[in-house]
């Protein structure tokens, strides 16, 4: 059974940085991807960044390009999200998700069956 555990959320001032981590275990699918989503109350979950577990290819939402970086440590089955220059509008619960690599549809939450429990990120002065 696939399990995902996020860590690293917290409170940070605007302009600050946080690094989220996602540990993935129990998977056997090789052609897969791990994606970070975020959600605020009353809004749909939105894709933030995705990394292929095959070749490390990455995709980013336009609203985080140049500020966030997704990376992986394949040996430890860990995926990270380095978030720099954080803005108040980045405040959300951040989730990591895992499933088959769906290419250009990476940001669509309905394609992911496996989710972590989420970690709160709050950007506030």
């Amino acid at each position: 059974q696939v399990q995902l555990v996020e860590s690293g959320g917290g409170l940070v001032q605007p302009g600050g940085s946080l690094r989220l981590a996602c540990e993935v275990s129990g998977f056997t699918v090789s052609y897969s991807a791990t994606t970070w989503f975020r959600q605020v109350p009353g809004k749909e979950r939105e894709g933030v960044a995705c990394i292929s577990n095959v070749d490390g290819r990455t995709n980013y939402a336009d609203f985080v390009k140049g500020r966030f970086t997704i990376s992986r440590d394949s040996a430890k089955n860990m995926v990270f999200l380095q978030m720099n220059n954080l803005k108040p509008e980045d405040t959300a619960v951040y989730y990591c998700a895992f499933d088959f690599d769906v290419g250009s549809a990476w940001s669509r939450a309905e394609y992911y069956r496996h989710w972590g429990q989420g970690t709160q990120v709050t950007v506030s002065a």
Side-chain angles (χ1 to χ4, degrees):
Q1 183 176 349
V2 179
Q3 290 187 319
L4 300 94
V5 179
E6 301 102 335
S7 60
L11 173 65
V12 64
Q13 292 185 342
S17 299
L18 281 175
R19 188 190 193 209
L20 306 183
C22 175
E23 181 177 8
V24 186
S25 62
F27 68 94
T28 58
V29 174
S30 58
Y31 190 70
S32 60
T34 306
T35 299
W36 286 97
F37 286 83
R38 69 186 188 185
Q39 189 171 26
V40 297
K43 291 190 176 182
E44 292 187 354
R45 204 165 286 192
E46 59 182 1
V48 175
C50 175
I51 188 164
S52 166
N53 295 320
V54 178
D55 58 10
R57 171 177 37 89
T58 59
N59 286 288
Y60 294 92
D62 287 343
F63 52 80
V64 301
K65 283 182 179 177
R67 300 189 298 126
F68 291 10
T69 302
I70 190 170
S71 61
R72 61 178 180 161
D73 182 335
S74 299
K76 297 181 180 180
N77 291 330
M78 298 284 293
V79 173
F80 305 97
L81 186 68
Q82 178 66 43
M83 305 185 294
N84 298 327
N85 191 22
L86 282 160
K87 304 175 181 180
E89 51 264 43
D90 294 318
T91 296
V93 177
Y94 284 71
Y95 300 89
C96 62
F98 176 91
D99 218 307
F100 291 107
D101 189 335
V102 293
S104 60
W106 67 270
S107 63
R108 297 180 63 174
E110 63 264 34
Y111 286 122
Y112 295 83
R113 293 170 292 172
H114 309 290
W115 294 84
Q117 81 286 355
T119 185
Q120 176 71 45
V121 172
T122 303
V123 185
S124 175

